[in-house]
Amino acid sequence: MMEQKCNIQIIEWEDLDKRKFYSLGVFMTMITRATVYPFTLIRTRLQVQKGKSLYNGTFDAFWKILKAEGVRGLYRGFMVNTLTLISGQAYITTYELVRKYVSCYSSNNTVKSLVAGGAASLVAQSITVPIDVVSQQLMVQGQGCQLTRFKLKPKRVMATSKHKVTFGQTRDIVVQVFHTDGFRGFYRGYVASLLTYIPNSAVWWPFYHFYAEQLSRLAPADCPHLLLQAVAGPMAAATASTLTNPMDVVRARVQVEGRSSVMETFKQLLAEEGVWGLTKGLSARIISSTPTSVMIVIGYETLKRLSLRPELVESRHW
């Protein structure tokens, strides 16, 4: 049932009212994605640009995009990206179910988190990659349009400049990807995505529980557990982002530039920009992952508490 590690209680899958869990979860996930999306877009543009041909860094990119394209420019591709809500629900369901399954063989929280996090990412990325391929092509339109093989039709660009939101842009990109690369084009970068996000997810959860446990030992006895978890989340995100950023840069270039070889892309990146090229977009990634992690942790832990089965509510004390 409820596992306790150094006074930090972990609500397990069997403790939840699933109907509440899913209905509230979609709402919280949507708010989180909308909040951090601009930095996801900035990270993508920074990662695929050559050197500093367009932007000198995260905040330079933010102000240039805002000035040239307006607020809507920071949300290019957002509507199609909302389809990742499906993968988000698949992710957390897989995580909780695998965690429950692994607990039959090991009571070690690190082992459960590591295996469940990796498995959840595998399932989620299988759904997410086609959505990412399309949304990232939309992200680099506007100022970054020279960074991609696919361009919006002139009438779509004109509509964008007039701030008209239309799914026609998405259709244009989908048709171009399919015409150029076939169905496989929607899974371009799939291997790179797995090599990025499976380790990222597998590392994030153990570090999250580790930091939460360490903080609970240092904090006063009356310190709210949710506060400790909210601090542990960004710490885990920064750690995981730093460790996996090199593959994230490679993944972005494979998907946006239409490359087919992960190793060739990696070698070319090193040859052209050196080791520092592997850190591209890291600050934007950490900046976006920090509020994301805070919101995810607070939202997720609160969601689980709100979704406790009625008969368990009175017996839990936070």
Side-chain angles (χ1 to χ4, degrees):
M1 294 291 286
M2 188 85 66
E3 181 179 332
Q4 184 167 336
K5 295 284 288 185
C6 300
N7 298 322
I8 295 290
Q9 292 181 315
I10 300 174
I11 302 173
E12 299 291 5
W13 182 247
E14 57 268 28
D15 300 320
L16 300 174
D17 178 329
K18 308 306 185 294
R19 185 170 59 181
K20 285 184 181 179
F21 182 73
Y22 284 117
S23 58
L24 292 172
V26 170
F27 176 71
M28 289 184 175
T29 301
M30 187 66 177
I31 292 176
T32 301
R33 290 185 185 279
T35 302
V36 304
Y37 188 82
F39 286 101
T40 301
L41 180 144
I42 289 170
R43 182 192 76 198
T44 298
R45 290 198 184 184
L46 288 174
Q47 289 177 336
V48 299
Q49 73 172 351
K50 301 294 184 182
K52 295 184 178 180
S53 57
L54 276 176
Y55 312 112
N56 293 320
T58 300
F59 292 104
D60 179 57
F62 178 84
W63 291 115
K64 282 183 176 177
I65 295 170
L66 191 63
K67 182 178 179 180
E69 304 175 47
V71 174
R72 292 182 185 274
L74 294 170
Y75 280 89
R76 288 183 183 274
F78 178 70
M79 293 305 294
V80 67
N81 191 263
T82 57
L83 295 175
T84 57
L85 287 172
I86 300 170
S87 65
Q89 296 305 304
Y91 176 94
I92 205 59
T93 300
T94 303
Y95 175 79
E96 293 291 352
L97 289 176
V98 172
R99 183 181 171 87
K100 179 181 178 181
Y101 177 78
V102 175
S103 66
C104 297
Y105 301 92
S106 174
S107 60
N108 187 289
N109 189 52
T110 299
V111 172
K112 289 191 288 185
S113 299
L114 184 71
V115 175
S121 186
L122 173 62
V123 172
Q125 285 306 305
S126 297
I127 302 171
T128 300
V129 168
I131 301 170
D132 273 349
V133 167
V134 176
S135 66
Q136 285 183 138
Q137 294 296 340
L138 290 168
M139 285 179 190
V140 296
Q141 300 298 319
Q143 279 187 318
C145 64
Q146 71 270 29
L147 302 174
T148 177
R149 298 177 298 157
F150 306 116
K151 306 292 189 295
L152 294 176
K153 294 179 182 179
K155 63 180 180 180
R156 300 301 179 192
V157 175
M158 187 179 297
T160 301
S161 66
K162 292 179 181 178
H163 304 311
K164 292 180 181 178
V165 179
T166 172
F167 279 103
Q169 298 174 24
T170 301
R171 185 176 64 250
D172 284 348
I173 295 297
V174 169
V175 169
Q176 289 181 58
V177 172
F178 185 77
H179 178 75
T180 304
D181 299 326
F183 181 76
R184 292 180 62 184
F186 294 104
Y187 274 90
R188 187 176 293 280
Y190 179 62
V191 173
S193 291
L194 295 183
L195 293 175
T196 300
Y197 292 117
I198 288 180
N200 186 84
S201 179
V203 166
W204 190 91
W205 286 101
F207 270 110
Y208 165 60
H209 291 299
F210 170 76
Y211 288 137
E213 291 167 14
Q214 298 307 309
L215 289 169
S216 72
R217 291 170 179 162
L218 298 173
D222 59 349
C223 184
H225 292 168
L226 193 59
L227 176 61
L228 300 179
Q229 291 167 319
V231 175
M235 293 172 66
T239 303
S241 295
T242 302
L243 292 174
T244 61
N245 197 72
M247 275 309 304
D248 194 39
V249 177
V250 173
R251 174 200 61 80
R253 293 204 170 192
V254 167
Q255 291 181 332
V256 174
E257 296 177 4
R259 299 174 180 272
S260 58
S261 171
V262 172
M263 282 305 301
E264 287 303 317
T265 303
F266 181 77
K267 290 177 182 178
Q268 184 176 349
L269 178 62
L270 281 179
E272 292 179 351
E273 304 186 44
V275 176
W276 286 109
L278 300 175
T279 66
K280 280 194 161 190
L282 178 59
S283 60
R285 194 175 178 200
I286 291 177
I287 289 172
S288 66
S289 68
T290 296
T292 300
S293 295
V294 171
M295 294 178 72
I296 285 176
V297 168
I298 293 178
Y300 183 58
E301 297 295 346
T302 301
L303 170 64
K304 291 175 79 173
R305 294 177 189 186
L306 292 175
S307 302
L308 271 174
R309 299 204 320 269
E311 64 270 23
L312 298 176
V313 173
E314 294 300 325
S315 63
R316 305 307 182 211
H317 304 285
W318 311 105

